[in-house]
Amino acid sequence: MINQDFKSILDLIKAFPNEQTCIDHLETLRWNGNVVSPFDATSKVYKCKGNKYRCKNTGKYFNVKTDTLFDNTKIELQKWFLAIWIVTSHKKGISSLQLGRDLDITQKSAWFMLQRIRNCFGIENDNELDNEVEVDETFVGGKETNKHNNKKSTNPMVGNKATVLGMVERNGKVNAVKIEDRSAKVLTAEIIEIVAKTASIYTDEWVGYSKLKRVYDHSVVKHNAHQYVNGRVHTNTIEGFWSLLKRGIFGIYHFTSKKHLQLYVDEFVFRYNTRTTTEASRFNLLLANSNNRLTYKELIG
């Protein structure tokens, strides 16, 4: 089943026509015949009826959905599989309103499903970058001119927008993270954590990058002087990612709160970093890394 190439939603429905086929596929991806207890990885496991297992050391029962994004869900797995397929295959994502209509569930349930899925996208947003790395930051949020006077920021350039830092290795992967501000202290710490010291870094002339020369081979392109390319020095790749991110957020979701912004950023990072794989591989990659549970209380708390 894992090697099957799902090229359409119809293929997916044919491959997973019922709950049992979905469970079997999840068990293969998660355990591959060697069931591991989520309560004690060293414990012996007994197989029970109804797709359940028992952990010998703790005496607790579990199944393949325990401690995953499917934990305690009342929605059948086929609908979850369809949701994951739609989210991972659509280039710009899908709104909870549309997903709710597609799956015949409420918008609230669809939003919770999407947030749980996004919570697993972070697996592709923690890559060490090397070689030639472009770094840039952007602002995400509504225009100040569209806000009521009592909600407008005193900072005309940034406003109340959230700041996102992006780093991309040319012909490689991208990392993007919401940051508190664009200070040299914050930017330098984030970059050093992700980018190898052997890398060549390209940025614009923002003063927040001024300390990078102490660590890296750092070159600058001067956007304020209308210089956008200087030989190999440019930030066009990361700016291309920003355009994908913003088109998706503004075109599909219209609004994202600062609290949940990182989940949406992770979604677009996942799509970018898996852009050369097949839709079936992307679907299975998410399922294989679904052991990242997010409760509704945690989500709205």
Side-chain angles (χ1 to χ4, degrees), residues 145-163:
T145 53
N146 294 337
K147 296 179 181 179
H148 194 275
N149 286 334
N150 63 1
K151 292 185 179 180
K152 288 184 179 180
S153 170
T154 55
N155 187 330
M157 183 179 73
V158 178
N160 289 317
K161 299 179 181 181
T163 307

Side-chain angles (χ1 to χ4, degrees), residues 223-237:
H223 289 171
N224 286 339
H226 304 290
Q227 181 192 58
Y228 299 100
V229 179
N230 183 11
R232 296 194 62 81
V233 183
H234 63 78
T235 57
N236 294 343
T237 312

Side-chain angles (χ1 to χ4, degrees), residues 111 140-142 147 248-258 264:
W111 181 77
V140 179
K147 296 179 181 179
I249 288 179
F250 299 147
I252 303 297
Y253 304 124
H254 306 306
F255 169 79
T256 57
S257 67
K258 290 183 180 180
Y264 291 88

Side-chain angles (χ1 to χ4, degrees), residues 199-251:
S200 297
I201 288 186
Y202 306 141
T203 71
D204 59 23
E205 69 273 39
W206 171 243
V207 67
Y209 301 122
S210 60
K211 294 183 179 180
L212 292 180
K213 282 191 175 295
R214 301 177 184 177
V215 182
Y216 300 99
D217 174 18
H218 177 213
S219 301
V220 172
V221 61
K222 299 179 180 179
H223 289 171
N224 286 339
H226 304 290
Q227 181 192 58
Y228 299 100
V229 179
N230 183 11
R232 296 194 62 81
V233 183
H234 63 78
T235 57
N236 294 343
T237 312
I238 187 63
E239 287 169 9
F241 173 73
W242 292 145
S243 67
L244 294 173
L245 173 71
K246 291 185 177 181
R247 280 204 301 269
I249 288 179
F250 299 147

